[in-house]
Amino acid sequence: MSFTEGKTVRKRPKYLQIIDYIKEKIGNGEWPIGSKIPSQRTLAKHFEVNRSTVITALEELTADGLIEGRMGKGTVVINNTWTLLAKNSSPDWDQYVNSGIQQPSRRIVQEINTSESNPELIQLSKGELSNEIFPLAVMKDIMGKVSQNIEAFGYEEPKGYLPLREALSGYLRTIGIQASPSSILIVSGALQALQLISMGLLQRGSTVFLDQPSYLYSLHVFQSAGMNLTGLPMDKEGLLPNHIHMTKGERGRAILYTNPCFHNPTGILMSERRREEILTASEKNQLPIIEDDIYRELWIDNIPPAPIKTMDKNGHVLYLGSLSKTLSPGLRIGWMVGPEPVIERLSDIKMQTDYGSSSLSQRVAAEWLISGEYQQHLDYVRHQLKMRRRHVTIALETYMKNAAQWSIPEGGFFIWLKIIPSISMKLLYKKALAKGILLNLGSIYAQEKGNYIRLSYAYASLEDLQKGIYELGLIIGELASR
Amino acid sequence: MSFTEGKTVRKRPKYLQIIDYIKEKIGNGEWPIGSKIPSQRTLAKHFEVNRSTVITALEELTADGLIEGRMGKGTVVINNTWTLLAKNSSPDWDQYVNSGIQQPSRRIVQEINTSESNPELIQLSKGELSNEIFPLAVMKDIMGKVSQNIEAFGYEEPKGYLPLREALSGYLRTIGIQASPSSILIVSGALQALQLISMGLLQRGSTVFLDQPSYLYSLHVFQSAGMNLTGLPMDKEGLLPNHIHMTKGERGRAILYTNPCFHNPTGILMSERRREEILTASEKNQLPIIEDDIYRELWIDNIPPAPIKTMDKNGHVLYLGSLSKTLSPGLRIGWMVGPEPVIERLSDIKMQTDYGSSSLSQRVAAEWLISGEYQQHLDYVRHQLKMRRRHVTIALETYMKNAAQWSIPEGGFFIWLKIIPSISMKLLYKKALAKGILLNLGSIYAQEKGNYIRLSYAYASLEDLQKGIYELGLIIGELASR
Ligand SMILES: Cc1ncc(COP(=O)(O)O)c(C=O)c1O
Ligand SMILES: Cc1ncc(COP(=O)(O)O)c(C=O)c1O
């Protein structure tokens, strides 16, 4: 549980303040019966008191019958002022919280989600562009322009704001994809597209083939809906389609997910030949493809091979794009291109889940595309990433030469670091965190990739990147010499 | 299927244009094998030709082996230029589209979703404020202000943008709810809150008790996730809690959904006494409540009784609010207040489905609240609704006195019209649509309420409201006299 942010603190004795605070939380139902209260250490830190003061407060609350210390569970709310009068009538939220259909994120992912908004940590793995690259001036201009021209806006059309779909249709042509606005669905980020596909096209028990490792393993989108993930090995050209083996029962209900450009987490760029092979395999197996291409525009050295979608003459491919990795994830704007009946089905589900994406975000996104500012911004981002990649590879050469192996990616955000010495990766993670460095371990993306780290050169400042890699090198050295 | 919007038309003979158009759609996979092409009538209208020209084109495409007319199914794509060369390798999208977990919206709801963006129809039922009430000038100001002050923005915190949660905490105090920012979750509209609850707190087979009729019956959120809806009868004071009967198996996994202020679709305002009774029943049955209060601020005559949430000392109530009905649904901003462990669980699921709501919308929403403009706007909206309600009740008195019965709501958007003569409501719907009037029939909100219409005085212009009601009266009279 977190604290009431920005609360004014009264001038009463500290232990009474603590009692007041906890009573209020319990009294207004924010901390219902059965819930755990923050640890003594956390409370002591928050109220800036000694642990003994906290203990005094907790003892009084215990004597009042409001809380109870439980072995191995910490301190739990057992009553509130009302149930002390009547009988306990609180709903058993614990049971609800633990029995919903959607699986919770893995503990480590939840921890990372929370730690990622901690500005004091060095984010050595974060899959997001640095604030330094954020085009603040142009964003302000564009928002200003949109606000001047805006008309009253309400619920949008099911497939999304038409001028944005038109602009995307034009943009997609520049990467070789012919898609009319009616076969484009606007989504709140590529993640939502995956969610919609899991709700709308697959069945409980369907198989999702995917790159291994994969970003998808860090999520529960498909697993929560009862689908099975089947990882396919990759080489330097991308996933190996000859490893697709389908049982008869799987046919007609499986799907293939791949992230061919600057793959998350490995950075691998799929070759043109491999793209052809995958499409052929997919046609042979009647296996539709989700082509998650959200890193495409972040090439550094050369324009990547054309999307698989451009070779797809039979409507096998659902193509995903997003502004999250190139402009800002806060816009929550992505798109999906596919055969119209599929887009129509998924736009209906989109309406059922959130009635469409933000009108403001859609208008701002459209203006970025229409004005040509987006393309210009992409040039700038590529330039920045090139510089950052150089900086980081130098730091790796300097501080990690004997500690890790890596390939230099041709674009995107990520370097997939294989840690050479056999050390405890959990300990590495903890020791790094103690030094203020947040890491995404390989195990998030595939169980057997435990000895990898996803390094991102996109987010932290150059100074922090250098410092982080230096510290990482030291910690690995230390752990290896134990 | 819809047409490519905004496509330039070439100067070729019309029937060749039609052939080109269809071949392109088929060739690039937008109309995959097995999909239905638009009807002859639709094609004729789109290309502004006689039906015979369309038939010529279709005959040629049939001769080419690309399409085939099928009894009772219309014309279907059976091949494309590539499959004509090779064997048919298109994925069977039909099977995917029809087997996903989420049920499609009911045909009638899909039709309404699409027709609602048709500006030529008189929207006599639409649950949205009129563009005339949209605060365009202030919205522009606020967006301008936000764009000037904005900083780089990325993925947001799991519970949403903190200044918005702080502002909401202050706003909620004005309606009697004590909620700290940490027990508030920002959602993309109240609909998404329902979706998250269905994914995160309930199980397959859980029961959802609800008002009958209810807005919830127009959706498939809970049903698609395997829950059962159990309607509870209502009187003039709201739902009747003594009709809650739970089996032993239901206990601890059921939930109660209610919409106590200016209920959609009936307009009923729940009395204070009834609120107490419902909370008591919920406590007795350990049955948590979803209090959907998104119409609360739209009172016209008197401030409504305090939310059930204000009496809730044991954390029974999940409270939902939204800016959709008071300001604009296009912002896609709503909120949920509840016990922290529940909010935490649902914020994790929110991250798994779309990584949070639009940063722009969240900032604009925060500014509306912080600046005080929101409260001022609410005054204006109430004033407008009062005037519109008067206007509509006069029209009803004038044109529908013998055709329908209704109560005058004390706020919100809706008048629940009971049609007196026994007529075919389907025919009424169709005849109204032929006259350019779109209606939501009662059957959308409860099967046995077929002889009702949800009338909204919030959306159409005064002129259209008057005209619509006049025409409706005529059609009913005509159908009744058959
Ligand atoms: C491969 C991949 N797909 C999808 C996403 C989701 O991005 P969005 O912000 O567009 O939802 C991410 C974000 O990390 C990603 O790495
Ligand atoms: C009772 C009720 N709840 C929720 C919603 C969804 O509103 P939002 O736009 O906030 O998702 C509506 C919209 O019609 C409604 O009438």
Side-chain angles (χ1 to χ4, degrees):
Chain A
M1 289 183 192
S2 58
F3 285 100
T4 310
E5 298 92 340
K7 201 122 204 182
T8 50
V9 176
R10 285 145 269 169
K11 282 274 164 256
R12 297 188 66 191
K14 285 279 185 176
Y15 88 96
L16 286 180
Q17 286 183 27
I18 300 176
I19 291 177
D20 289 350
Y21 174 83
I22 295 179
K23 276 193 171 165
E24 193 185 322
K25 286 288 191 179
I26 297 176
N28 66 17
E30 286 187 44
W31 292 358
I33 290 170
S35 62
K36 235 174 77 183
I37 72 169
S39 70
Q40 294 180 4
R41 199 160 59 100
T42 316
L43 286 166
K45 201 166 151 202
H46 181 69
F47 286 95
E48 296 171 353
V49 295
N50 287 331
R51 198 113 154 212
S52 61
T53 312
V54 172
I55 292 174
T56 309
L58 296 186
E59 277 171 359
E60 188 154 329
L61 291 162
T62 307
D64 285 352
L66 288 171
I67 59 172
E68 185 179 87
R70 288 197 188 151
M71 288 293 283
K73 278 200 83 178
T75 304
V76 173
V77 179
I78 55 166
N79 264 309
N80 61 35
T81 4
W82 291 267
T83 55
L84 282 180
L85 295 174
K87 63 167 193 42
N88 175 351
S89 71
S90 210
D92 187 356
W93 279 118
D94 248 22
Q95 184 173 335
Y96 285 85
V97 162
N98 293 323
S99 65
I101 294 166
Q102 181 81 15
Q103 296 160 24
S105 300
R106 283 201 261 156
R107 184 88 66 83
I108 181 78
V109 173
Q110 287 193 40
E111 210 174 298
I112 288 170
N113 281 343
T114 308
S115 303
E116 280 201 335
S117 39
N118 181 346
E120 289 180 3
L121 293 176
I122 296 183
Q123 308 279 352
L124 223 47
S125 295
K126 192 162 176 169
E128 189 176 337
L129 284 179
S130 167
N131 282 351
E132 295 168 6
I133 306 178
F134 189 89
L136 192 56
V138 182
M139 182 61 88
K140 284 183 179 192
D141 269 11
I142 284 183
M143 285 176 64
K145 203 160 151 195
V146 168
S147 43
Q148 272 160 37
N149 298 329
I150 206 156
E151 312 255 325
F153 52 86
Y155 290 108
E156 301 283 343
E157 280 179 71
K159 291 181 191 170
Y161 182 55
L162 180 56
L164 175 56
R165 286 185 287 129
E166 285 170 349
L168 282 170
S169 173
Y171 160 73
L172 288 162
R173 247 192 319 275
T174 68
I175 54 170
I177 295 174
Q178 305 298 329
S180 56
S182 56
S183 59
I184 299 174
L185 172 63
I186 306 299
V187 286
S188 299
L191 176 60
Q192 190 181 45
L194 299 176
Q195 182 72 42
L196 296 174
I197 291 169
S198 95
M199 294 168 82
L201 300 180
L202 302 179
Q203 307 166 44
R204 226 164 286 294
S206 287
T207 301
V208 179
F209 293 96
L210 74 168
D211 315 299
Q212 183 160 13
S214 172
Y215 161 72
L216 217 54
Y217 279 108
S218 73
L219 306 173
H220 286 153
V221 198
F222 291 104
Q223 299 96 311
S224 290
M227 289 115 214
N228 309 312
L229 302 192
T230 300
L232 299 170
M234 306 174 75
D235 67 10
K236 282 186 179 171
E237 295 185 40
L239 80 79
L240 291 158
N242 52 342
H243 287 258
I244 299 174
H245 300 297
M246 278 165 81
T247 64
K248 214 172 152 205
E250 284 174 328
R251 205 168 286 262
R253 40 189 284 180
I255 206 159
L256 170 65
Y257 169 85
T258 186
N259 177 205
C261 282
F262 318 123
H263 176 258
N264 178 3
T266 65
I268 289 171
L269 174 64
M270 192 184 282
S271 66
E272 190 176 342
R273 189 182 57 178
R274 186 61 53 79
R275 287 165 196 255
E276 286 164 7
E277 288 166 4
I278 285 176
L279 186 61
T280 305
S282 138
E283 291 185 342
K284 209 184 77 199
N285 292 295
Q286 304 269 315
L287 176 68
I289 298 176
I290 306 169
E291 181 176 18
D292 181 343
D293 213 20
I294 74 173
Y295 294 97
R296 156 167 299 272
E297 295 289 2
L298 303 175
W299 50 269
I300 298 181
D301 303 316
N302 301 297
I303 298 184
I308 305 174
K309 181 76 190 157
T310 60
M311 317 178 224
D312 169 35
K313 300 307 175 191
N314 298 310
H316 272 80
V317 179
L318 299 180
Y319 181 83
L320 309 187
S322 168
L323 295 181
S324 290
K325 305 302 174 182
T326 51
L327 181 52
S328 167
L331 287 173
R332 305 311 305 131
I333 294 294
W335 48 90
M336 170 154 44
V337 181
E340 278 194 32
V342 178
I343 292 300
E344 240 136 74
R345 165 81 165 125
L346 297 181
S347 72
D348 173 53
I349 299 181
K350 166 93 172 136
M351 286 304 267
Q352 291 189 54
T353 44
D354 68 5
Y355 287 133
S357 299
S358 157
S359 297
L360 298 185
S361 284
Q362 293 196 67
R363 278 163 180 74
V364 167
E367 187 58 34
W368 271 96
L369 289 164
I370 294 164
S371 63
E373 291 287 355
Y374 182 58
Q375 294 291 352
Q376 250 175 287
H377 172 65
L378 289 175
D379 281 342
Y380 171 72
V381 172
R382 285 178 204 124
H383 188 81
Q384 289 290 313
L385 287 177
K386 184 167 190 167
M387 188 262 293
R388 287 172 158 264
R389 185 186 62 176
R390 189 175 57 234
H391 195 89
V392 160
T393 45
I394 293 171
L396 286 172
E397 291 288 347
T398 315
Y399 304 121
M400 301 269 281
K401 214 174 169 83
N402 300 316
Q405 279 170 351
W406 62 90
S407 307
I408 298 181
E410 294 178 57
F413 290 175
F414 304 119
I415 295 179
W416 189 229
L417 272 189
K418 181 175 184 178
I419 306 302
I420 302 172
S422 147
I423 58 173
S424 155
M425 293 298 283
K426 261 204 184 136
L427 215 52
L428 173 61
Y429 172 82
K430 276 196 186 159
K431 286 202 170 273
L433 198 55
K435 291 247 176 206
I437 300 167
L438 187 63
L439 298 175
N440 288 16
L441 298 185
S443 54
I444 297 177
Y445 308 100
Q447 245 167 358
E448 74 289 1
K449 300 287 177 183
N451 58 330
Y452 283 78
I453 290 171
R454 184 185 84 173
L455 194 75
S456 160
Y457 49 86
Y459 189 78
S461 66
L462 293 182
E463 201 189 321
D464 280 356
L465 283 169
Q466 169 127 3
K467 179 162 169 238
I469 291 169
Y470 167 76
E471 295 281 358
L472 206 57
L474 286 187
I475 301 171
I476 295 173
E478 188 207 315
L479 289 175
S481 69
R482 277 197 182 180
Chain B
M1 290 184 193
S2 58
F3 284 100
T4 308
E5 297 92 339
K7 206 132 200 172
T8 50
V9 177
R10 287 143 268 173
K11 283 272 164 258
R12 299 187 64 191
K14 285 279 186 178
Y15 88 97
L16 286 180
Q17 286 183 27
I18 300 176
I19 290 177
D20 289 349
Y21 174 83
I22 294 178
K23 277 195 170 163
E24 192 185 322
K25 286 287 193 182
I26 297 175
N28 66 18
E30 288 187 45
W31 292 358
I33 290 170
S35 62
K36 234 173 80 185
I37 74 169
S39 70
Q40 294 181 3
R41 197 159 60 101
T42 315
L43 286 166
K45 202 165 148 203
H46 180 71
F47 287 95
E48 296 171 353
V49 295
N50 287 332
R51 198 112 153 213
S52 61
T53 312
V54 172
I55 292 173
T56 310
L58 296 185
E59 279 172 359
E60 188 154 329
L61 290 162
T62 307
D64 286 352
L66 288 170
I67 60 173
E68 184 179 87
R70 289 200 187 148
M71 289 292 282
K73 278 201 86 179
T75 304
V76 173
V77 178
I78 54 165
N79 264 309
N80 62 34
T81 1
W82 291 266
T83 55
L84 282 179
L85 293 174
K87 65 168 190 37
N88 174 351
S89 69
S90 210
D92 188 357
W93 279 117
D94 249 20
Q95 183 174 334
Y96 285 85
V97 162
N98 293 324
S99 64
I101 294 167
Q102 181 82 14
Q103 296 161 24
S105 300
R106 285 201 258 155
R107 184 87 67 83
I108 180 79
V109 173
Q110 287 192 42
E111 210 174 299
I112 288 171
N113 281 345
T114 308
S115 302
E116 280 202 335
S117 39
N118 182 345
E120 289 181 3
L121 293 176
I122 296 183
Q123 309 280 352
L124 223 47
S125 295
K126 190 163 177 168
E128 189 176 336
L129 284 179
S130 167
N131 282 351
E132 295 168 5
I133 305 178
F134 188 90
L136 192 55
V138 182
M139 184 61 90
K140 285 184 178 188
D141 270 10
I142 284 182
M143 285 177 63
K145 203 161 150 196
V146 168
S147 43
Q148 272 161 37
N149 299 329
I150 206 156
E151 314 256 327
F153 52 85
Y155 289 110
E156 301 283 344
E157 280 179 70
K159 292 182 188 169
Y161 181 54
L162 181 57
L164 175 55
R165 286 186 287 130
E166 284 170 349
L168 282 169
S169 173
Y171 160 74
L172 288 162
R173 248 193 316 275
T174 70
I175 54 171
I177 295 175
Q178 305 297 331
S180 56
S182 55
S183 59
I184 299 172
L185 172 65
I186 307 299
V187 287
S188 299
L191 175 60
Q192 190 182 45
L194 298 176
Q195 182 72 44
L196 296 175
I197 290 169
S198 95
M199 294 169 81
L201 300 180
L202 302 179
Q203 307 166 44
R204 227 164 285 295
S206 288
T207 301
V208 179
F209 292 97
L210 75 169
D211 316 300
Q212 182 160 13
S214 173
Y215 160 73
L216 217 54
Y217 280 106
S218 72
L219 306 174
H220 286 155
V221 198
F222 291 105
Q223 299 97 309
S224 291
M227 287 115 216
N228 309 310
L229 302 191
T230 300
L232 300 170
M234 305 173 75
D235 67 10
K236 284 186 177 167
E237 297 185 40
L239 80 79
L240 291 158
N242 51 342
H243 287 258
I244 299 174
H245 299 297
M246 278 166 80
T247 63
K248 212 171 151 207
E250 282 174 329
R251 204 168 287 261
R253 39 189 284 181
I255 206 159
L256 170 65
Y257 169 86
T258 186
N259 177 206
C261 282
F262 319 124
H263 174 258
N264 178 4
T266 66
I268 290 171
L269 174 63
M270 191 184 284
S271 66
E272 190 177 342
R273 191 183 53 180
R274 187 60 52 79
R275 288 166 196 254
E276 286 163 6
E277 289 166 4
I278 285 176
L279 185 61
T280 305
S282 138
E283 290 184 341
K284 209 182 77 199
N285 292 294
Q286 304 268 319
L287 178 67
I289 299 175
I290 305 169
E291 180 176 18
D292 182 343
D293 213 20
I294 75 173
Y295 294 98
R296 154 165 300 270
E297 295 288 2
L298 304 175
W299 51 270
I300 298 181
D301 303 316
N302 301 296
I303 297 184
I308 306 175
K309 181 76 190 159
T310 61
M311 316 180 225
D312 170 34
K313 300 307 176 190
N314 299 310
H316 272 80
V317 179
L318 297 181
Y319 183 83
L320 308 187
S322 168
L323 295 180
S324 290
K325 304 303 173 179
T326 51
L327 182 52
S328 168
L331 287 174
R332 304 311 305 129
I333 293 294
W335 49 90
M336 170 154 43
V337 181
E340 279 193 30
V342 178
I343 293 301
E344 249 144 63
R345 165 82 165 124
L346 298 180
S347 71
D348 173 52
I349 298 180
K350 167 90 171 136
M351 286 304 269
Q352 292 189 53
T353 44
D354 67 5
Y355 288 133
S357 299
S358 157
S359 298
L360 298 185
S361 284
Q362 292 196 67
R363 278 163 181 72
V364 167
E367 188 58 33
W368 271 96
L369 290 165
I370 293 165
S371 63
E373 290 288 356
Y374 182 59
Q375 294 290 351
Q376 251 177 288
H377 172 65
L378 289 176
D379 280 343
Y380 172 73
V381 172
R382 285 177 203 124
H383 188 81
Q384 289 290 312
L385 287 177
K386 183 167 191 167
M387 187 263 292
R388 288 173 157 265
R389 185 187 63 175
R390 190 175 57 232
H391 196 91
V392 160
T393 47
I394 293 172
L396 286 171
E397 290 289 345
T398 315
Y399 305 121
M400 299 271 280
K401 212 175 171 81
N402 300 316
Q405 278 170 353
W406 62 90
S407 306
I408 299 180
E410 295 177 57
F413 291 175
F414 305 119
I415 295 179
W416 188 229
L417 271 189
K418 180 176 184 178
I419 306 302
I420 302 171
S422 146
I423 57 172
S424 156
M425 294 296 286
K426 262 205 182 136
L427 216 52
L428 173 59
Y429 173 82
K430 277 197 184 157
K431 286 202 170 273
L433 197 56
K435 291 250 177 201
I437 300 169
L438 186 64
L439 298 175
N440 289 17
L441 298 185
S443 54
I444 296 177
Y445 308 101
Q447 245 168 358
E448 74 290 0
K449 301 287 178 182
N451 58 330
Y452 283 78
I453 290 172
R454 184 185 82 173
L455 194 76
S456 161
Y457 49 86
Y459 189 79
S461 67
L462 293 181
E463 201 188 322
D464 280 356
L465 283 169
Q466 170 127 4
K467 179 163 171 239
I469 292 168
Y470 167 77
E471 294 282 1
L472 206 57
L474 285 187
I475 300 169
I476 294 172
E478 187 208 313
L479 289 175
S481 69
R482 279 199 181 176

